[in-house]
Amino acid sequence: MFENPTYPRISLPADVETRYPRYALHSYCEGVRCEAHRRNQFIGYPVLFIVGNADSYRQVRSLGSVAYRMGDKQKQLDYFSIDFNEELSALFGGVLDQQTEFVAHAIKTILSFYKTKKTIILVGNSIGGLLSRAVFLQPPDRFDPNTVRLIITQATPHQAAVIHADSYIMNFYSRVNQYWKDEWNNSLKHLTLLSLAGGDRDHLVRSDLTSLNGLTDESRSIDVLTSAVPYVWASTDHRCIVWCRQLVLATTRALLEIIQEKKQDSQTTMQILKQYFSPSVDLNLGINTTLTYKKDPTIITESSISIHGKEENDYVIPLKNSKFHRIIIHSTNAKIYLRNTDVTLDITNTLLPIPPTYSARKMIRFDIKQLDDSLKQYDSILIRLENKKSQTDIYQIENDEQIVELSAFDSQTLKFNQAGYVKLVFPTLSNLWQVYHIHLSSNSENTPLIHFHVPWSNEDQYNLISLRPTSSPTTNLPKPLARQMRLKLHRPALFTNGEYPSLELFLNSKSSYTLEISYSFLDFLSQLIRYYIYLLPTFLFTVLCVSYSLQVDEVTLRTYRTMLAWQIHIPVALLIAILYKIVIILFPSSTFVVNIHSNGYYFFCLPLILYFLSLSLWAMISFIIDYLIFDFIHTMLYPLLTYVSNELNQQQKFTRLIQWISLSLPLMVTLLFSGSNGHIGLFILALLHVVWRGTINQRLRRVLTTVLLFHGLLVVLNLTGFIMHIKSILIQGLYPLLMIMPDPSFLSAICCTTAFYLRFTLSQSQKQIVQVLKIIFLKYNRSILILLAVISQFFCSYSMHYLWILISFIFIHVAVIFFVPSHRD
């Protein structure tokens, strides 16, 4: 920020304000411009910043402040931002439609402030980028698609939600993505889309989800990692991507150049975006020129050489009849030309920038063996150094790249002597869970350039590694130059076309180097957590189902001891892993399998790892509950609870009244507030029930502890809805959630509450039906519950809201099995 930031609130039509009291529209300004903004006077080009999950509208200040400083009277950006009350929109799909509608109203209001007909640029952060795409599904009377020609998204999960928390999120994604697939070359043909991914440091939104593959084509869209953006060359975390200085500068420069162009068409916009975010060499942009020579140029025949400006000479690299396959040139303050006997073409401006960030260093590559038509007419490359600070490194490559087979849990050591350029290709680096560390050592103190490239994800990672001399290994080095480099993927390989991840080393040919590649087990665990942790709730449910099946046969078995029944858990875990493999082989085109492959979620050991991780978590939690909590409560409160229980048994009417009050409370909470509130109220009653009945009846408490864990899992899945409802109450007052927005957990709360109190409400005639069900459940108990556990794997892995239904069935099962007097309290 350069001056004090101000966020004047913009009034919307009265009906919009009434319908969306939780939301607001603001403009961003600094200094003298704020007075005009307060009067809704805008003279620049409108840009709407759409915030993401639990984000603040004030995050617009990074882009807005830089644009304010860089803009002038001829080119100026007016930034606007939407306040969504920091709602958890990525975890609660009930608000997505309302937020999209408000975005449409905000765009319409913003454009009404401009006298001339204008379009608006949308910049969406996180889930805000999805809203910027969803707004095109709004009806014509609310939103005109032609008013938006450019969308920039930052760390937006375009492919699918990070967590499929409820059906509203899944339906929203399905509608938006299907519309874009169908209309990209129809009603959206005027649109240009840029998707930026944070890469390795973004632990909230994985880079594979930000891909536009299958949604758009490359003619009018770009999706790229920030580590590959020129002059950024760094990964950003989920929030930093909004205010990363290098990225903010690149975005602002691109936008200012776009709005200054007279042609406001998609092709012109794409050319500018590619220049700033995904540049490529275009020799057609070269300039014909003539050169004069003080003396004959020096011909370069070496495979690797570095030339400096103090030598004051021109250099020529032959293209015709060259024995080399490729030529790579790194230059600083040098002119590069292509020439033949008749023409000299200046291609200096077509070179691509490379690190370090604050330098004029650039690069160009030539494939000698596959010269295209634009190169065949030239005989040589001429290099002219402009001043004494100029430097050019030339790498002429004769040998093909070196294939390296990465071993799973081992390290490799490679040595390079008098090699200026080395390219290593990794055909076996194809899984998201593979992570390798590279360590480069040398007898030279020169700083090499290392470039890691993944062809299918527009991913380029550079790293300048300062090497410790072997003679003084303890020398302290600046932290930015001493960091390690990791080889790992951020997106699965859907197809390779013979291209694999590669590592390029630009070295000093006069030195020797040792490269050690080692597998990182800790990073392997971090990748598992990053990519597969959202599958954990389904496995937690599966493990509880198996444990509960053991307790039905032996009620006195403590919950944590059921986790130690390896003779049951190991076969079930293997069964799930084998069934996954069978389904993948037999049904390769099913939606479930397509999701597995497209997101890189499956490898054979994954179900086993997640199963036993869930088993360990439940074992620790249940041990703490059984021994450290309930046993302590039993010791301290047993006399008091026994006395109260005896008194209540003498007052049957009073006891029945308590039961009906207990039954009505969660139902009333569900109806008057929200399903998530009902789940939490029911969990509290279940906890009290376990403490009460578990203290009086030790035999039944074991099962009630397991049921309480099912309750706890359900509460965690519904916690987002509870937070959303509390936040809405603070703005709109005490209304049921269904009156404000859709409530995903409403029906499940009704089902769970009814099932939990089933044995208190049945009549004598209905008890006979329960007895029949009980006989069936007991006879096929193990088969039913294990089948339920397996079914959850294939139906709930990507749709966790289905777990609510399955847990409801568990509650019904408990009520039926333990309904008879022998098991009653």
Side-chain angles (χ1 to χ4, degrees):
M1 295 170 292
F2 299 92
E3 298 183 50
N4 185 39
T6 307
Y7 308 86
R9 179 163 179 168
I10 296 175
S11 297
L12 282 81
D15 60 326
V16 177
E17 296 273 6
T18 303
R19 180 173 173 79
Y20 310 100
R22 308 189 309 277
Y23 306 149
L25 176 64
H26 298 263
S27 65
Y28 178 85
C29 61
E30 296 180 14
V32 296
R33 195 185 298 177
C34 290
E35 188 58 36
H37 277 224
R38 291 189 183 96
R39 297 193 301 268
N40 292 338
Q41 296 176 355
F42 305 96
I43 59 174
Y45 199 100
V47 182
L48 177 60
F49 180 78
I50 308 174
V51 299
N53 176 68
D55 286 335
S56 169
Y57 68 95
R58 295 175 182 268
Q59 290 178 348
V60 72
R61 68 186 180 187
S62 300
L63 286 166
S65 183
V66 173
Y68 173 77
R69 183 59 54 179
M70 294 177 65
D72 53 36
K73 292 183 179 180
Q74 284 73 35
K75 50 180 183 178
Q76 190 177 104
L77 297 171
D78 294 331
Y79 268 92
F80 301 85
S81 182
I82 295 178
D83 179 12
F84 281 137
N85 192 31
E86 299 185 14
E87 291 179 337
L88 301 173
S89 50
L91 304 174
F92 187 83
V95 300
L96 292 176
D97 284 321
Q98 293 185 8
Q99 290 187 353
T100 305
E101 292 173 9
F102 189 82
V103 170
H105 288 295
I107 293 173
K108 194 172 184 179
T109 301
I110 292 170
L111 293 178
S112 68
F113 298 142
Y114 294 86
K115 297 180 181 179
T116 59
K117 185 178 180 181
K118 285 185 177 292
T119 58
I120 188 171
I121 297 171
L122 302 183
V123 178
N125 171 244
S126 186
I127 204 68
L130 181 67
L131 298 179
S132 67
R133 293 173 49 222
V135 74
F136 288 87
L137 279 70
Q138 293 295 302
D141 61 332
R142 187 180 298 158
F143 173 73
D144 180 5
N146 293 318
T147 57
V148 178
R149 294 187 173 273
L150 171 62
I151 298 175
I152 298 177
T153 65
Q154 303 170 330
T156 295
H158 291 291
Q159 292 292 330
V162 177
I163 298 177
H164 297 170
D166 57 59
S167 59
Y168 293 100
I169 290 180
M170 297 185 64
N171 292 336
F172 189 82
Y173 263 95
S174 178
R175 285 187 285 115
V176 173
N177 286 347
Q178 190 59 49
Y179 179 85
W180 275 66
K181 291 176 184 179
D182 298 337
E183 300 296 328
W184 174 246
N185 290 314
N186 297 313
S187 61
L188 301 177
K189 62 183 179 182
H190 64 286
L191 200 62
T192 307
L193 178 60
L194 169 65
S195 174
L196 297 168
D200 188 38
R201 293 183 180 178
D202 191 340
H203 301 297
L204 296 181
V205 175
R206 310 182 308 273
S207 298
D208 60 303
L209 296 178
T210 66
S211 170
L212 298 174
N213 180 48
L215 302 176
T216 64
D217 57 49
E218 296 181 354
S219 63
R220 302 191 317 278
S221 67
I222 302 173
D223 70 270
V224 63
L225 274 68
T226 56
S227 59
V229 176
Y231 302 110
V232 178
W233 293 313
S235 175
T236 60
D237 63 50
H238 193 63
R239 294 190 181 275
C240 177
I241 197 171
V242 179
W243 55 71
C244 171
R245 180 178 181 273
Q246 302 97 304
L247 189 59
V248 168
L249 289 174
T251 303
T252 304
R253 288 166 180 157
L255 291 181
L256 290 175
E257 188 171 336
I258 287 172
I259 66 173
Q260 198 176 21
E261 278 289 334
K262 294 181 179 179
K263 290 184 178 180
Q264 295 293 323
D265 57 79
S266 59
Q267 292 184 352
T268 304
T269 302
M270 273 296 293
Q271 290 177 358
I272 297 173
L273 291 178
K274 283 185 176 181
Q275 173 188 348
Y276 284 94
F277 296 98
S278 184
S280 59
V281 173
D282 186 0
L283 296 180
N284 294 323
L285 300 178
I287 303 173
N288 289 326
T289 186
T290 56
L291 294 176
T292 57
Y293 304 96
K294 296 181 181 180
K295 56 182 179 180
D296 292 338
T298 301
I299 299 176
I300 295 177
T301 58
E302 294 90 341
S303 60
S304 177
I305 188 174
S306 180
I307 55 179
H308 300 270
K310 60 183 180 181
E311 300 172 9
E312 296 183 357
N313 198 2
D314 293 336
Y315 299 87
V316 168
I317 304 174
L319 290 176
K320 301 294 183 180
N321 301 320
S322 175
K323 66 177 181 178
F324 299 105
H325 293 179
R326 284 172 291 166
I327 298 175
I328 302 176
I329 301 174
H330 293 178
S331 69
T332 305
N333 299 325
K335 289 284 189 179
I336 311 294
Y337 303 91
L338 290 173
R339 68 171 193 167
N340 57 26
T341 55
D342 301 321
V343 179
T344 300
L345 185 69
D346 185 353
I347 61 172
T348 306
N349 292 330
T350 68
L351 271 63
L352 304 180
I354 57 173
T357 303
Y358 302 102
S359 72
R361 198 160 178 79
K362 295 187 176 182
M363 176 185 68
I364 192 168
R365 300 170 181 264
F366 299 96
D367 193 335
I368 303 300
K369 297 303 180 181
Q370 297 180 358
L371 291 177
D372 55 25
D373 294 336
S374 60
L375 279 176
K376 286 181 179 179
Q377 58 179 312
Y378 299 105
D379 300 325
S380 61
I381 304 170
L382 185 137
I383 302 172
R384 174 166 289 182
L385 306 181
E386 294 182 311
N387 51 55
K388 292 184 179 181
K389 294 183 179 180
S390 301
Q391 179 181 347
T392 300
D393 299 321
I394 301 167
Y395 306 94
Q396 300 194 79
I397 300 105
E398 182 177 1
N399 299 324
D400 293 331
E401 60 266 6
Q402 182 176 343
I403 304 297
V404 178
E405 299 288 340
L406 295 174
S407 55
F409 300 100
D410 199 1
S411 61
Q412 298 186 42
T413 301
L414 305 174
K415 296 184 180 294
F416 310 108
N417 295 316
Q418 297 181 350
Y421 172 85
V422 176
K423 182 177 182 180
L424 307 177
V425 178
F426 308 107
T428 56
L429 181 57
S430 57
N431 299 303
L432 296 175
W433 47 269
Q434 292 178 279
V435 186
Y436 299 89
H437 284 188
I438 64 170
H439 304 270
L440 193 62
S441 58
S442 173
N443 59 0
S444 171
E445 296 185 17
N446 292 334
T447 303
L449 176 66
I450 300 179
H451 173 216
F452 179 57
H453 175 66
V454 180
W456 56 78
S457 63
N458 293 333
E459 177 183 349
D460 290 275
Q461 182 181 350
Y462 295 91
N463 202 345
L464 293 170
I465 298 180
S466 182
L467 303 177
R468 284 187 170 88
T470 54
S471 58
S472 56
T474 60
T475 303
N476 292 326
L477 297 172
K479 288 183 179 180
L481 299 180
R483 63 184 186 267
Q484 291 183 333
M485 188 173 185
R486 295 181 177 89
L487 304 182
K488 64 179 179 180
L489 304 178
H490 297 101
R491 297 177 184 174
L494 301 181
F495 51 86
T496 60
N497 292 333
E499 297 184 8
Y500 302 101
S502 61
L503 185 72
E504 291 182 308
L505 308 176
F506 298 93
L507 311 172
N508 185 348
S509 60
K510 298 179 181 180
S511 304
S512 60
Y513 295 84
T514 300
L515 179 71
E516 183 178 355
I517 306 175
S518 58
Y519 185 82
S520 173
F521 183 73
L522 289 179
D523 284 303
F524 162 73
L525 294 179
S526 69
Q527 285 289 86
L528 287 181
I529 295 173
R530 182 177 185 180
Y531 284 90
Y532 309 122
I533 193 64
Y534 82 97
L535 298 174
L536 190 61
T538 303
F539 281 89
L540 290 172
F541 174 81
T542 299
V543 170
L544 273 185
C545 280
V546 177
S547 297
Y548 172 61
S549 71
L550 297 175
Q551 287 182 312
V552 172
D553 296 332
E554 189 176 348
V555 183
T556 58
L557 193 63
R558 284 181 178 262
T559 303
Y560 90 93
R561 293 188 64 85
T562 64
M563 307 296 171
L564 304 178
W566 302 106
Q567 70 277 12
I568 298 295
H569 287 293
I570 291 179
V572 172
L574 289 174
L575 173 65
I576 292 173
I578 293 171
L579 286 178
Y580 263 90
K581 193 68 175 178
I582 293 174
V583 170
I584 290 173
I585 294 174
L586 296 182
F587 307 100
S589 60
S590 67
T591 303
F592 176 77
V593 176
V594 170
N595 286 337
I596 286 177
H597 285 299
S598 63
N599 295 288
Y601 291 149
Y602 179 78
F603 58 95
F604 185 78
C605 292
L606 177 63
L608 301 177
I609 293 173
L610 291 176
Y611 189 95
F612 291 111
L613 175 61
S614 303
L615 198 65
S616 303
L617 290 174
W618 280 138
M620 290 187 292
I621 294 172
S622 59
F623 180 84
I624 292 173
I625 291 175
D626 270 338
Y627 278 94
L628 301 185
I629 297 179
F630 289 153
D631 281 358
F632 175 77
I633 293 174
H634 176 265
T635 303
M636 299 296 294
L637 301 180
Y638 180 76
L640 176 62
L641 293 177
T642 303
Y643 173 77
V644 174
S645 178
N646 293 332
E647 290 296 323
L648 289 176
N649 288 334
Q650 296 177 7
Q651 304 290 334
Q652 291 296 326
K653 293 182 179 180
F654 186 62
T655 304
R656 197 66 177 174
L657 178 62
I658 293 178
Q659 292 176 351
W660 276 108
I661 292 175
S662 301
L663 173 63
S664 61
L665 279 178
L667 286 175
M668 294 300 294
V669 169
T670 300
L671 295 173
L672 296 179
F673 298 102
S674 69
S676 54
N677 292 46
H679 279 301
I680 292 175
L682 185 60
F683 176 74
I684 294 173
L685 288 176
L687 179 60
L688 295 175
H689 186 71
V690 171
V691 173
W692 173 270
R693 295 303 183 188
T695 304
I696 304 302
N697 188 331
Q698 288 287 310
R699 188 167 182 265
L700 183 61
R701 196 195 74 189
R702 318 304 186 197
V703 175
L704 293 179
T705 301
T706 304
V707 176
L708 185 66
L709 294 180
F710 277 112
H711 268 291
L713 178 59
L714 196 59
V715 167
V716 171
L717 294 175
N718 286 275
L719 195 59
T720 304
F722 174 75
I723 296 173
M724 288 294 299
H725 187 238
I726 297 300
K727 289 174 70 70
S728 65
I729 287 176
L730 297 176
I731 301 295
Q732 295 184 254
L734 202 60
Y735 291 98
L737 188 63
L738 282 173
M739 294 180 62
I740 302 173
M741 64 189 75
D743 183 2
S745 55
F746 180 80
L747 292 178
S748 68
I750 299 294
C751 293
C752 291
T753 304
T754 305
F756 187 77
Y757 289 100
L758 183 63
R759 61 197 181 97
F760 297 129
T761 59
L762 293 178
S763 64
Q764 291 298 323
S765 61
Q766 292 170 324
K767 290 179 182 179
Q768 298 301 322
I769 302 176
V770 174
Q771 292 293 342
V772 174
L773 289 176
K774 179 181 181 299
I775 294 173
I776 297 174
F777 283 173
L778 285 175
K779 184 177 181 181
Y780 303 103
N781 167 65
R782 188 71 55 83
S783 301
I784 291 174
L785 292 175
I786 291 181
L787 180 62
L788 192 68
V790 173
I791 288 176
S792 68
Q793 291 296 316
F794 296 95
F795 288 93
C796 303
S797 294
Y798 302 93
S799 312
M800 286 192 298
H801 63 280
Y802 289 143
L803 283 179
W804 304 347
I805 301 173
L806 298 185
I807 293 177
S808 300
F809 177 81
I810 293 293
F811 292 160
I812 295 173
H813 189 279
V814 173
V816 170
I817 289 291
F818 299 102
F819 183 81
V820 296
S822 61
H823 288 91
R824 291 199 58 176
D825 311 333

